[in-house]
Every structure is written in C-alpha cells, then in structure tokens.
C-alpha cells in the first residue's frame, strides 16, 4: 500500500488483506485493485458506515444430472453462503478492533446479487422454479445465521 511506516497500517489495510487472502480468493489481484478496494473500505470506516460488499452469483440452479440433483440449492451453495458469512464475520471483527465504538453493531455485509429471472429462459427454468430456488437460498441463509 506504500505506507510511510508499519504504524500507518490501519483497519482498512487489515480488512483488505484478510479478504484478499488465498483462503478466500483464487487467482491474482493487481496492486491497483487492492488499493482501490482498501480506499473504498477506508471511506466506509471513516464515515462510520458498514463495509458493504456485493457479489453477483447464485442466480439459479443449472440443471445438469452429472453435477446436481434437482432445482434447489445443494450443500455446495450452502457452503458458499457460509464462506461469505465467515468473510463478513472477519471484516466485522477487524472493524470493531479498529473502531471499538462500533462494537455491538454489524459492520460488514455481503449482498448476493442473483438475478435468476435474467437467465431463466436460457436455462429452461420457470419463474416458479427461480422463486423456489431463491426462497431456498434465503432459508439456508437463515439456518446459517446469515439473514438480516
């Protein structure tokens, strides 16, 4: 981050490094992308706002007999939601360490953007199927303690 000293490392840098850890992501991330993300996180923290992250995924179930059985979320999708919850929990803890006055507040969240209606025709799914899939994802999120 080209900081002047180790003492200049703050909450935004810790959060950025945690989220870009190989445990959570695959592939290379440029220095510019890290700095841009850190700047976004720092702005949220400086304003006392939660760190909100959006991720486009889980629009609906792709019907493939080799990979899935049925049209509802499976344990892989539940595991993915659990991983997002874990990431939000880490961000929340780091945020509270850097800003103790935010203790007791949820200061990190993921918004999962899954527009199943956009792809329903190409995947030969009905609106009812997409609605059922999204209801089941919300159920999983609630079971995992991730729902609002």
């Amino acid at each position: 981050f080209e900081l002047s000293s180790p003492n200049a490392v703050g909450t935004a840098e810790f959060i950025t490094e945690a989220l870009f850890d190989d445990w959570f992501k695959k592939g290379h991330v440029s220095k510019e992308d890290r700095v841009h993300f850190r700047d976004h996180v720092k702005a949220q923290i400086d304003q006392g706002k939660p760190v909100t992250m959006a991720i486009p995924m889980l629009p609906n179930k792709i019907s493939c007999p080799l990979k899935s059985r049925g049209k509802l979320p499976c344990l892989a999708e539940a595991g993915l939601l659990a991983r997002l919850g874990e990431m939000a929990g880490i961000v929340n803890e780091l945020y509270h360490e850097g800003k103790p006055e935010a203790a007791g507040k949820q200061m990190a969240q993921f918004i999962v953007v899954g527009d199943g209606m956009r792809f329903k025709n190409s995947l030969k799914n009905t609106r009812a199927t997409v609605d059922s899939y999204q209801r089941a994802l919300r159920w999983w999120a609630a079971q995992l303690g991730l729902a609002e």
Side-chain angles (χ1 to χ4, degrees):
F1 296 108
E2 297 182 13
L3 300 171
S4 58
S5 77
N7 294 334
V9 175
T11 303
E13 288 80 18
F14 282 117
I15 289 172
T16 300
E17 286 304 306
L19 289 175
F20 284 99
D21 188 89
D22 288 341
W23 180 252
F24 295 119
K25 65 113 189 105
K26 301 221 183 320
H28 175 73
V29 177
S30 72
K31 178 181 174 186
E32 292 79 19
D33 287 341
R34 277 181 194 245
V35 170
H36 177 75
F37 187 83
R38 185 274 318 262
D39 292 347
H40 169 73
V41 169
K42 186 170 180 354
Q44 297 301 104
I45 293 169
D46 289 347
Q47 295 173 33
K49 294 181 179 177
V51 176
T52 302
M53 299 157 282
I55 187 164
M57 60 186 350
L58 302 173
N60 54 33
K61 189 75 163 189
I62 296 173
S63 185
C64 174
L66 295 174
K67 295 174 103 178
S68 64
R69 294 181 182 214
K71 304 235 181 223
L72 296 178
C74 64
L75 289 177
E77 286 132 319
L80 177 67
L81 291 173
R83 177 66 64 98
L84 293 176
E86 179 184 13
M87 292 169 72
I90 290 169
V91 171
N92 200 50
E93 288 294 319
L94 290 170
Y95 196 116
H96 290 152
E97 284 180 24
K99 286 249 187 190
E101 63 272 19
K105 298 178 188 171
Q106 183 63 34
M107 299 308 288
Q109 68 177 354
F110 268 100
I111 298 171
V112 177
V113 181
D115 183 9
M117 295 303 165
R118 180 176 182 167
F119 303 106
K120 75 178 180 62
N121 292 338
S122 60
L123 296 173
K124 298 182 173 116
N125 285 330
T126 65
R127 180 181 188 93
T129 300
V130 174
D131 288 344
S132 294
Y133 179 81
Q134 291 178 344
R135 265 194 313 278
L137 283 176
R138 284 191 292 277
W139 181 86
W140 271 113
Q143 296 306 305
L144 295 166
L146 305 174
E148 291 182 273

